[in-house]
């Protein structure tokens, strides 16, 4: 190994001039340097032939800035001294005036012998050249210094390393993007008539349009933008691109891809990302959250399956919101926030809160928002016309019977709060007591009973006078309520099945799942050609698909428990409708089949339900024709089906494992696994397979 230190001194190139090196002074490395200039030795300031004079640019800038600071300090000192002299002169003149009333002969006139020299000097008008030196010269010097510093900071492209010019700005979530100029971004916008149409379509939509943009304020900013596009903040331009992207996504899905636009949705999303990066969104405050939320929504629209990228983007949104204090109510900030800004912050925060609750559950992980540190109030039920940036106070909230852009968020807030509590309890390392589960069930049902009648679900066939958005909002609130019931009680589906103590939980979870499957059937039927929701079928999002899959798996587990019951009558005596559950699964399987060509989750659900239905029917047939023969025949059919299925969808076996051993179902793994479907190589440990349940014998090679 070579020695770390070498013999002899290192021949390091000097950076200071010869004079400063001799005197052991700090050299500014100028030509001449500052120290030589101070000593009148500027002409003798010389550097060694191999000296490095231009490397420490930062040191030169620091010296120049320090010089500017000294000049400002000197001006402040002179100004303070001048004010003191003025005060002293005024006081002495006042004393002389007072004395004049008592003795006119004792009047002290400024400039006379009886006036103190200090006052005479302070009151004497300065000479013109001194006035110029005091008031103009220092300021001109400061301006010159600032100008020179600015010129040094304005590095020319020729001085930038070539590898820096070729490097793209990379964001771990948004990705790499070449940052164009503002002129290029503005020039990429569609013509104004197209923008007008898309903006109008966005704000005219009533479903999946978050109430985070004040329509009146945006209209004013929009008109101002077109008068001078290049003067608009880059993040506002990003917000405009995000609005255009979401609106284009709505129209693209609604028209079945026939909507034509001069710019694609992908290009609009790219421009949104460029504006976010160009506007330094991590450090920005205005327009950043609205732009990020709409960009996430744009990526979400049309997404059939789950996306891990969107969940990571949700994390960026949450951290940005908390950095900006959105998790604290506007009242905490007092007069620093206007009533308008405070109300809009409430809308943005509760939108983020609800998005996090749904996406985190879908990912099978806890919420990213620590609720114990949040106190932002629910927004008031107000129309955008009720308040504006000029409002000095907010008007009284409208009743919940008045439809406003924020009404859905308000109504959903209470149900979402209970859902987050349920999820937090089930994801806790310690299991809650059964008494607390029953109490939470009562609270959930009470909250849902208080929602306005306009948001209570009723058959779609009886909603002819309601818009598609109203129908879907009702459905979303109802499914969230039912999902809360399922998540709360599903741990008891596989706990001591013979213990009647938990029958309430089993029935509550299964009944809620059956209602969700009925809603799936109703929505599917009305979204077919000629149906009530055909033109708005895009409203069924991937979050809703996840809810349908959850409900189907709960019914599958219930049927598997019923098959292990001594008899069908004994299972029915505990409140279960065996035939009704099987029929619901058959309908759900048909629906999943119809969308399996575009969704990995749909294919998985269809395979699972098909195998479960075969098993249930075979078991029922075996009871009348000899269970041994029918089980053997069924095992061959199921084995062949599994072999073909696992070649096409290799992840189905893990899903089967999960629901074939009802004694060890890990529901958190299920939530997480639903996301992992479609990702290469999901690595989640599932319970051991209950081979007997599917009539397979591992000893004969009939395994997965």
């Amino acid at each position: 190994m070579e020695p770390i230190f070498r013999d002899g001194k290192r021949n390091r190139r000097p950076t200071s001039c010869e004079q400063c090196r001799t005197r052991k002074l700090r050299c500014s490395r100028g030509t001449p340097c500052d120290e030589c200039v101070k000593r009148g030795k500027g002409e003798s300031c010389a550097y060694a032939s191999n000296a490095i004079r231009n490397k420490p640019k930062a040191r030169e800038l620091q010296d120049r800035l320090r010089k500017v600071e000294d000049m400002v300090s000197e001006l402040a000192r002179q100004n303070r001294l001048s004010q003191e002299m003025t005060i002293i002169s005024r006081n002495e003149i006042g004393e002389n005036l007072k004395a004049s009333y008592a003795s006119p002969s004792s009047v002290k006139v400024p400039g006379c012998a009886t006036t103190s020299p200090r006052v005479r000097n302070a009151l004497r008008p300065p000479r013109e050249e001194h006035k110029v030196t005091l008031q103009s010269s220092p300021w001109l010097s400061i301006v010159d210094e600032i100008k020179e510093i600015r010129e040094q900071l304005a590095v020319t492209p020729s001085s930038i390393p070539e590898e820096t010019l070729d490097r793209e700005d990379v964001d771990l979530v948004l990705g790499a993007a070449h940052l164009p100029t503002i002129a290029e971004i503005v020039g990429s916008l569609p013509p104004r008539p197209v923008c007008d149409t898309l903006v109008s379509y966005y704000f005219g939509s009533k479903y999946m349009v978050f109430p985070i943009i004040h329509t009146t304020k945006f209209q004013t900013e929009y008109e101002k933008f077109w008068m001078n596009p290049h003067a608009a903040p880059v993040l506002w331009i990003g917000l405009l691109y995000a609005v255009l992207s979401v609106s284009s996504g709505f129209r693209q899905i609604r028209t079945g891809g026939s909507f034509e636009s001069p710019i694609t949705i992908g290009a609009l999303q790219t421009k949104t990302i460029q504006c976010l990066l160009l506007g330094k969104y991590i450090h920005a405050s205005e327009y950043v959250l609205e732009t990020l939320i709409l960009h996430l929504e744009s990526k979400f629209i049309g997404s059939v399956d789950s996306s891990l990228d969107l969940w990571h983007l949700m994390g960026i949104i949450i951290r940005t919101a908390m950095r900006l204090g959105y998790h604290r109510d506007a009242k905490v900030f007092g007069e620093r926030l206007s009533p308008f800004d405070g109300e809009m912050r409430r809308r943005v925060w509760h939108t983020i809160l609800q998005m996090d609750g749904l996406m985190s559950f879908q990912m099978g992980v806890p919420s990213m928002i620590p609720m114990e540190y949040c106190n932002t109030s629910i927004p008031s039920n107000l129309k955008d016309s009720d308040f504006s940036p000029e409002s000095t106070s907010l008007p009284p909230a409208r009743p919940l019977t008045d439809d406003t852009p924020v009404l859905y968020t308000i109504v959903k807030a209470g149900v979402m709060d209970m859902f987050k509590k349920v999820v937090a309890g089930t994801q806790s390392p310690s299991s809650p007591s059964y008494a607390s589960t029953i109490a939470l069930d009562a609270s959930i049902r009470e909250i849902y009973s208080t929602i306005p009648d306009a948001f209570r679900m009723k058959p779609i066939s009886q909603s002819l006078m309601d818009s598609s958005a109203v129908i879907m909002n009702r459905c979303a609130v109802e499914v969230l309520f039912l999902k809360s019931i399922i998540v709360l009680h599903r741990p008891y589906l596989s706990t001591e099945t013979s213990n009647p103590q938990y029958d309430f939980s089993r029935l509550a979870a299964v009944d809620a799942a059956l209602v969700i499957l009925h809603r799936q059937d109703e929505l599917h039927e009305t979204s077919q050609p000629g149906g009530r929701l055909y033109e708005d079928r895009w409203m069924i999002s991937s979050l809703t698909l996840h809810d349908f899959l959850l409900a189907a798996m709960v019914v599958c587990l219930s049927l598997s428990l019923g098959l292990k019951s001594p008899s069908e009558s004994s299972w029915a005596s505990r409140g279960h409708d065996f035939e009704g559950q099987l029929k619901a699964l058959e309908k759900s399987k048909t629906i999943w089949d119809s969308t399996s060509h575009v969704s990995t989750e749909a294919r998985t659900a269809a395979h699972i339900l098909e195998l479960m239905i075969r098993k249930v029917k075979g078991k029922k047939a075996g009871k009348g024709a000899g269970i041994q023969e029918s089980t053997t025949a069924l095992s061959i059919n199921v084995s062949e089906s599994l072999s073909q299925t696992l070649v096409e969808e290799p992840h189905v076996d893990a899903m089967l494992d999960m629901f074939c051993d009802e004694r060890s179902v890990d529901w958190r793994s299920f939530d997480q696994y639903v996301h992992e479907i479609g990702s290469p190589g999901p690595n989640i440990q599932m319970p051991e397979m209950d081979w007997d349940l599917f009539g397979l014998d591992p000893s004969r090679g009939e395994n997965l």
Side-chain angles (χ1 to χ4, degrees):
M1 181 180 294
E2 295 183 359
I4 298 177
F5 299 99
R6 294 185 176 91
D7 295 336
K9 294 185 178 179
R10 184 175 53 175
N11 186 19
R12 185 175 60 183
R13 290 184 294 171
T15 58
S16 303
C17 69
E18 297 293 343
Q19 298 288 342
C20 291
R21 291 176 61 194
T22 302
R23 294 183 172 86
K24 306 296 183 182
L25 299 175
R26 177 178 295 179
C27 184
S28 64
R29 299 169 180 83
T31 309
C33 71
D34 292 345
E35 292 295 335
C36 291
V37 172
K38 289 179 181 179
R39 288 171 172 76
K41 302 289 185 179
E43 67 282 355
S44 61
C45 182
Y47 292 82
S49 59
N50 63 339
I52 304 175
R53 288 183 291 170
N54 297 326
K55 183 177 180 180
K57 292 289 185 182
R59 179 77 65 182
E60 295 180 14
L61 292 179
Q62 290 178 2
D63 292 341
R64 287 186 175 275
L65 288 174
R66 189 179 297 108
K67 184 176 180 180
V68 172
E69 292 175 355
D70 293 341
M71 296 176 71
V72 173
S73 299
E74 178 63 22
L75 276 177
R77 189 189 65 79
Q78 294 182 13
N79 185 45
R80 185 168 59 251
L81 180 60
S82 176
Q83 292 178 353
E84 291 177 355
M85 295 299 98
T86 303
I87 294 174
I88 293 173
S89 62
R90 288 178 179 175
N91 291 339
E92 293 195 8
I93 292 174
E95 293 175 359
N96 293 339
L97 291 177
K98 290 180 181 179
S100 65
Y101 288 102
S103 176
S105 59
S106 63
V107 175
K108 298 180 180 180
V109 181
C112 298
T114 54
T115 307
S116 66
R118 184 179 180 185
V119 176
R120 288 200 303 270
N121 293 334
L123 296 179
R124 182 180 296 116
R127 290 179 296 179
E128 189 65 22
E129 61 273 15
H130 178 68
K131 180 178 181 180
V132 173
T133 303
L134 177 63
Q135 296 186 1
S136 297
S137 180
W139 289 112
L140 291 176
S141 300
I142 292 174
V143 171
D144 291 339
E145 287 290 336
I146 294 176
K147 183 178 179 181
E148 291 182 12
I149 294 173
R150 187 186 299 113
E151 290 174 353
Q152 292 192 26
L153 289 175
V155 183
T156 58
S158 59
S159 63
I160 301 177
E162 185 177 354
E163 61 272 14
T164 304
L165 288 175
D166 295 337
R167 180 184 59 82
E168 291 184 341
D169 288 278
V170 179
D171 188 281
L172 294 178
V173 176
L174 300 181
H178 168 68
L179 296 187
T181 63
I182 298 294
E184 291 173 339
I185 290 178
V186 173
S188 300
L189 278 170
R192 177 163 185 180
V194 177
C195 291
D196 290 349
T197 301
L198 291 176
V199 170
S200 176
Y201 186 82
Y202 172 82
F203 286 103
S205 302
K206 300 298 182 183
Y207 185 71
M208 287 187 68
V209 175
F210 301 125
I212 59 176
I213 300 178
H214 192 271
T215 54
T216 305
K217 180 175 181 285
F218 185 86
Q219 175 73 35
T220 303
E221 294 170 334
Y222 185 73
E223 295 296 335
K224 184 179 179 181
F225 167 77
W226 286 110
M227 289 189 293
N228 188 4
H230 300 281
V234 64
L235 283 177
W236 188 93
I237 301 176
L239 177 61
L240 175 60
Y241 268 112
V243 169
L244 299 179
S245 179
V246 173
S247 181
S248 297
F250 286 165
R251 299 196 68 178
Q252 192 79 12
I253 298 176
R254 185 167 186 174
T255 59
S258 61
F259 168 69
E260 296 183 359
S261 174
I263 182 170
T264 64
I265 298 176
L268 291 170
Q269 293 172 348
T270 299
K271 291 300 176 185
T272 304
I273 293 174
Q274 290 174 346
C275 290
L276 285 166
L277 294 174
L278 196 61
K280 308 295 182 184
Y281 75 97
I282 293 180
H283 307 286
S285 58
E286 194 172 13
Y287 305 118
V288 60
L289 283 174
E290 294 85 349
T291 305
L292 284 170
I293 292 172
L294 291 188
H295 176 65
L296 185 147
E297 183 182 19
S298 173
K299 301 287 287 186
F300 180 81
I301 295 173
S303 175
V304 181
D305 293 323
S306 309
S307 173
L308 186 62
D309 293 340
L310 299 187
W311 182 68
H312 281 288
L313 178 57
M314 189 70 226
I316 294 292
I317 293 173
I318 292 173
R319 286 190 289 273
T320 302
M322 298 192 72
R323 176 181 66 83
L324 297 175
Y326 277 68
H327 61 298
R328 296 297 178 90
D329 192 71
K331 296 178 181 178
V332 176
F333 300 95
E335 297 181 354
R336 287 179 291 174
L337 284 177
S338 67
F340 173 84
D341 291 334
E343 186 64 15
M344 293 306 300
R345 286 168 66 96
R346 295 185 185 100
R347 292 186 177 190
V348 171
W349 175 251
H350 279 275
T351 298
I352 294 173
L353 197 66
Q354 296 180 12
M355 293 172 63
D356 168 68
L358 295 176
M359 294 185 70
S360 295
F361 174 74
Q362 188 178 11
M363 295 299 111
V365 296
S367 168
M368 291 182 281
I369 299 178
M371 293 305 299
E372 61 270 22
Y373 302 112
C374 308
N375 66 347
T376 303
S377 301
I378 296 177
S380 301
N381 190 36
L382 296 173
K383 293 184 176 181
D384 288 354
S385 58
D386 293 336
F387 67 113
S388 68
E390 291 75 28
S391 299
T392 57
S393 61
L394 294 177
R398 293 172 176 265
L400 296 183
T401 54
D402 288 5
D403 186 24
T404 69
V406 75
L407 179 59
Y408 172 68
T409 303
I410 296 173
V411 173
K412 193 177 178 182
V415 183
M416 177 61 70
D417 181 59
M418 299 306 301
F419 175 71
K420 290 174 73 72
K421 290 181 179 179
V422 168
V423 173
T426 57
Q427 291 180 339
S428 174
S430 58
S431 301
S433 65
Y434 192 62
S436 63
T437 298
I438 298 301
L440 193 54
D441 176 277
S443 299
I444 296 171
R445 298 178 189 275
E446 181 181 0
I447 290 294
Y448 186 71
S449 66
T450 61
I451 67 172
D453 292 338
F455 283 87
R456 293 187 179 280
M457 194 63 194
K458 58 183 180 179
I460 298 178
S461 59
Q462 300 177 12
S463 306
L464 301 179
M465 303 303 170
D466 299 319
S467 65
S468 299
V470 170
I471 295 174
M472 292 305 301
N473 284 338
R474 289 172 180 166
C475 181
V477 174
E478 180 198 44
V479 169
L480 181 60
F481 159 70
L482 295 172
K483 185 163 59 174
S484 302
I485 298 296
I486 292 176
V487 175
L488 178 65
H489 293 289
R490 67 185 182 180
Y492 301 97
L493 286 171
S494 55
T495 303
E496 298 183 31
T497 56
S498 61
N499 189 345
Q501 176 186 1
Y502 304 115
D503 280 350
F504 172 80
S505 290
R506 299 188 189 103
L507 288 174
V510 173
D511 289 346
L514 290 174
V515 175
I516 291 180
L517 292 183
H518 173 71
R519 199 64 62 212
Q520 179 190 21
D521 181 45
E522 188 179 23
L523 290 174
H524 176 73
E525 181 180 353
T526 55
S527 63
Q528 299 306 301
R532 172 72 175 77
L533 298 177
Y534 175 70
E535 293 186 354
D536 299 312
R537 59 193 180 279
W538 58 270
M539 293 182 178
I540 304 176
S541 64
S542 66
L543 286 180
T544 308
L545 296 179
H546 174 268
D547 299 337
F548 295 152
L549 180 58
L550 169 65
M553 295 300 102
V554 167
V555 177
C556 278
L557 182 56
S558 176
L559 286 176
S560 69
L561 294 173
L563 291 175
K564 290 203 167 192
S565 179
S567 65
E568 183 177 335
S569 59
S570 63
W571 189 244
S573 64
R574 298 170 67 176
H576 292 273
D577 181 4
F578 201 90
E579 290 295 336
Q581 294 179 22
L582 181 59
K583 186 177 180 180
L585 282 187
E586 289 178 329
K587 286 187 176 181
S588 182
K589 187 260 180 186
T590 302
I591 296 173
W592 289 115
D593 276 336
S594 66
T595 57
S596 60
H597 63 288
V598 295
S599 170
T600 305
E601 292 178 6
R603 288 196 297 273
T604 300
H607 291 321
I608 297 294
L609 297 185
E610 179 182 4
L611 296 175
M612 178 59 69
I613 291 170
R614 287 187 184 184
K615 173 59 185 175
V616 172
K617 289 184 176 181
K619 183 71 177 291
K620 289 175 64 65
K623 289 182 179 181
I627 188 167
Q628 183 64 37
E629 293 79 1
S630 63
T631 301
T632 303
L634 178 66
S635 66
I636 298 175
N637 293 334
V638 173
S639 179
E640 293 176 353
S641 177
L642 282 173
S643 299
Q644 182 178 0
T645 297
L646 295 178
V647 172
E648 299 174 354
E649 304 294 339
H651 50 263
V652 173
D653 59 340
M655 292 289 288
L656 283 171
D657 289 347
M658 192 173 189
F659 288 94
C660 288
D661 187 358
E662 69 278 356
R663 293 166 299 178
S664 57
V665 172
D666 185 352
W667 286 103
R668 277 175 288 186
S669 295
F670 166 73
D671 294 330
Q672 203 168 28
Y673 193 78
V674 168
H675 163 70
E676 293 292 339
I677 294 173
S679 301
N683 186 23
I684 296 179
Q685 297 297 324
M686 296 296 174
E688 291 295 326
M689 181 71 169
D690 185 355
W691 305 104
D692 294 336
L693 182 60
F694 274 83
L696 302 179
D697 185 359
S699 63
R700 296 186 300 167
E702 296 173 345
N703 54 25
L704 299 182

